[in-house]
């Protein structure tokens, strides 16, 4: 899918250079300004036309009048002792989302980087300005305000979907996050694992991926981006078609039988486990790469030995690693994480069955920085116990 095939931009800040060229042509402005404006926004992170100092004042005024403005700003930054940083980001309409910056070597990074050692070097690590003393940071970003999927163990799901984010807002988080990096830190990867189900906002997420990877923008390789989904089958296939498998996929499985999965994830009623597994098997994973299977462990529901053996069976032959995530406590759900001995036994069974399995420890609990289970400031009071479906 080329930018020209994408639906119309929802905001000036998410236009590609050819879209800027068309608009500038309509305004009677030289088309070469298109790349200048795009670079200001996506390379330098400047969205306020008044600060685009190499543009004539006349054009800056036109851009302001047309509504080009920063779609978001940082309302609060919280830093964890291990270097993880959580940004509370406020959108133009006052809605808030969260994004988390996770340095390599931090507790939170363990699961994300667990398999990197076997992955090939890419444009970034081969680039002239890459230094071995660079501290790589992965950013976990949100794609929706809230989430409609209603997973029983997730704060975002319990609060429900407030609204979709547009591509400008999604990219803005990345630009704001990059601006907080210090010293030799470098943004090296993005995971769509924050608030929201990215594939439920497919068009905006696909546009954001294209913008983030644009050579005149952040220029991040598609292979350094991971989309995490609860298993929306048609959109998994669409992602495969549009990006040829270059964007990494993480799929939340969370149960090895369809009844348990429906209790934890209502989306399973629409796309049952067997269809999700079939879509995972169709995903064109590049050579020497692997998919990620996410499995949140919930006490008494999906944590027994039989579940571990069934999970190993349905994943057999897949090029995948498994991330086990003892559920984070979410007030009002009535659900809890298993004891450590149960978690260890579950992991051991999967390993004995030949699956690379990693344990995602509670990450940065002091700032509640769990991707996909981001704490909702101001929403906590509204969290209520949901009946299991
Ligand atoms: S776990 Fe992910 S898909 Fe499920 S409700 Fe939470 S944010 Fe949505």
């Amino acid at each position: 899918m080329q930018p020209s095939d994408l639906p119309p931009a929802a905001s000036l800040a998410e236009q590609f250079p050819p879209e800027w060229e068309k608009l500038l042509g309509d305004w009677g402005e030289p088309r070469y300004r298109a790349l200048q404006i795009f670079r200001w926004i996506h390379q330098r992170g400047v969205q306020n036309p008044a600060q685009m100092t190499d543009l004539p004042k006349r054009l800056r005024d036109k851009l302001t009048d047309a509504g080009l403005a920063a779609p978001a700003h940082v309302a609060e930054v919280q830093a964890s002792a291990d270097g993880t940083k959580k940004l509370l980001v406020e959108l133009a309409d006052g809605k808030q989302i969260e994004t988390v910056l996770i340095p390599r070597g931090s507790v939170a990074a363990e699961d994300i980087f667990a398999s990197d050692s076997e992955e090939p070097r890419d444009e970034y690590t081969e680039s002239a300005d890459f230094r071995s003393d660079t501290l790589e940071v992965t950013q976990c970003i949100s794609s929706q305000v809230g989430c409609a999927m209603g997973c029983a163990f997730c704060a975002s799901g319990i609060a429900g979907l407030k609204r979709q984010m547009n591509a400008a807002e999604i990219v803005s988080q990345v630009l704001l996050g990059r601006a907080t990096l210090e010293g030799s830190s470098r943004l090296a990867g993005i995971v769509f694992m924050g608030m929201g189900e990215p594939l439920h906002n497919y068009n905006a997420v696909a546009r954001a991926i294209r913008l983030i990877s644009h050579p005149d923008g952040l220029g991040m390789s598609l292979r350094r981006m991971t989309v995490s989904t609860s298993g929306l089958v048609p959109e998994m296939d669409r992602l495969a078609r549009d990006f040829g498998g270059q964007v990494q996929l993480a799929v939340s499985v969370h149960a090895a039988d369809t009844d348990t999965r429906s209790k934890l994830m209502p989306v399973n009623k629409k796309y049952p486990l067997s269809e999700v597994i079939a879509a995972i098997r169709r995903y064109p994973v590049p050579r020497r790469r692997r998919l990620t299977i996410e499995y949140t462990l919930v006490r008494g529901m999906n944590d027994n030995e039989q579940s571990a053996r069934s999970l190993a069976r349905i994943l057999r032959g897949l090029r995948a690693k498994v991330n086990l995530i003892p559920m984070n406590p979410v007030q009002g759900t009535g659900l809890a994480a298993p004891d450590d001995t149960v978690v260890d036994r579950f992991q051991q069974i999967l390993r004995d069955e030949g699956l690379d399995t990693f344990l995602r420890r509670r990450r940065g609990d002091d700032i509640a920085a769990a991707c996909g289970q981001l704490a909702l400031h101001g929403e906590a009071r509204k969290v209520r116990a949901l009946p299991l479906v």
Side-chain angles (χ1 to χ4, degrees), residues 4-301:
S4 57
D5 301 326
L6 291 166
S11 147
L12 286 182
E14 65 184 51
Q15 292 201 129
F16 287 95
E19 293 168 312
W20 277 114
E21 279 183 21
K22 179 166 182 326
L23 182 66
L24 291 166
D26 293 347
W27 287 354
E29 296 285 346
R31 288 168 186 256
Y32 69 84
R33 298 280 186 208
L35 214 48
Q36 262 178 295
I37 297 170
F38 186 84
R39 286 178 178 152
W40 270 113
I41 297 171
H42 295 282
Q43 230 168 44
R44 303 189 191 182
V46 171
Q47 287 148 323
N48 177 357
Q51 294 169 359
M52 298 179 179
T53 46
D54 58 0
L55 299 183
K57 171 125 183 10
R58 179 196 69 254
L59 178 53
R60 282 185 266 154
D61 290 345
K62 273 187 193 169
L63 290 168
T64 303
D65 292 346
L68 180 61
H73 68 271
V74 176
E76 189 183 326
V77 180
Q78 291 176 276
S80 168
D82 71 357
T84 302
K85 248 189 242 172
K86 181 169 72 173
L87 274 51
L88 184 66
V89 173
E90 189 162 307
L91 309 177
D93 64 355
K95 296 265 187 305
Q96 293 182 333
I97 49 101
E98 293 177 343
T99 180
V100 186
L101 292 143
I102 304 163
R104 182 188 280 269
S106 65
V107 171
E110 282 184 7
D111 58 311
I112 291 170
F113 299 119
S115 66
D116 272 8
S117 57
E118 25 174 274
E119 289 171 357
R121 292 167 69 81
D122 62 12
E123 302 90 317
Y124 169 66
T125 45
E126 298 293 353
S127 68
D129 60 353
F130 176 78
R131 303 198 328 258
S132 57
D133 61 348
T134 299
L135 178 61
E136 293 193 353
V137 174
T138 294
Q139 187 172 3
C140 175
I141 62 174
S142 296
S143 53
Q144 298 178 307
V145 183
C147 184
M149 297 299 122
C151 298
F153 47 81
C154 172
S156 300
I158 289 170
L161 179 65
K162 300 285 166 53
R163 74 163 171 84
Q164 301 283 21
M165 291 172 67
N166 63 37
E169 292 168 333
I170 295 170
V171 175
S172 191
Q173 291 168 85
V174 182
L175 297 169
L176 291 169
R178 187 187 61 164
T180 70
L181 296 180
E182 293 155 13
S184 61
S185 300
R186 171 101 180 236
L187 188 61
I190 287 171
V191 291
F192 285 82
M193 289 186 185
M195 192 187 293
E197 159 58 67
L199 296 186
H200 187 219
N201 189 14
Y202 187 89
N203 288 338
V205 166
R207 182 178 273 269
I209 290 171
R210 297 269 178 214
L211 288 167
I212 294 165
S213 61
H214 196 286
D216 289 300
L218 285 159
M220 182 177 288
S221 158
L222 293 176
R223 285 176 290 170
R224 290 192 166 265
M225 291 184 237
T226 301
V227 168
S228 175
T229 179
S230 58
L232 305 192
V233 170
E235 286 76 17
M236 289 165 69
D237 288 338
R238 201 171 159 196
L239 190 75
R241 271 197 311 275
D242 287 348
F243 296 98
Q246 293 297 311
V247 173
Q248 299 208 67
L249 188 66
V251 184
S252 296
V253 171
H254 299 331
D257 68 273
T258 206
D259 289 345
T260 306
R261 193 165 189 269
S262 289
K263 287 178 184 159
L264 291 172
M265 307 174 73
V267 68
N268 189 67
K269 290 177 182 162
K270 190 161 186 193
Y271 302 115
L273 183 60
S274 57
E275 289 182 25
V276 174
I277 297 294
I280 292 172
R281 290 190 184 278
R282 284 195 295 273
Y283 198 78
V285 183
R287 209 165 52 86
R288 296 175 64 197
R289 304 304 289 259
R290 294 188 290 183
L291 288 151
T292 302
I293 303 295
E294 308 278 3
Y295 193 99
T296 296
L297 285 159
V298 183
R299 183 185 297 174
M301 291 200 68

Side-chain angles (χ1 to χ4, degrees), residues 345-362:
R345 178 78 189 124
F346 200 97
Q347 182 180 25
Q348 195 54 53
I349 291 171
L350 294 183
R351 287 189 162 170
D352 290 347
E353 295 277 351
L355 280 165
D356 272 343
T357 307
F358 304 92
L359 192 56
R360 186 189 290 180
R361 299 205 187 113
R362 299 265 171 77

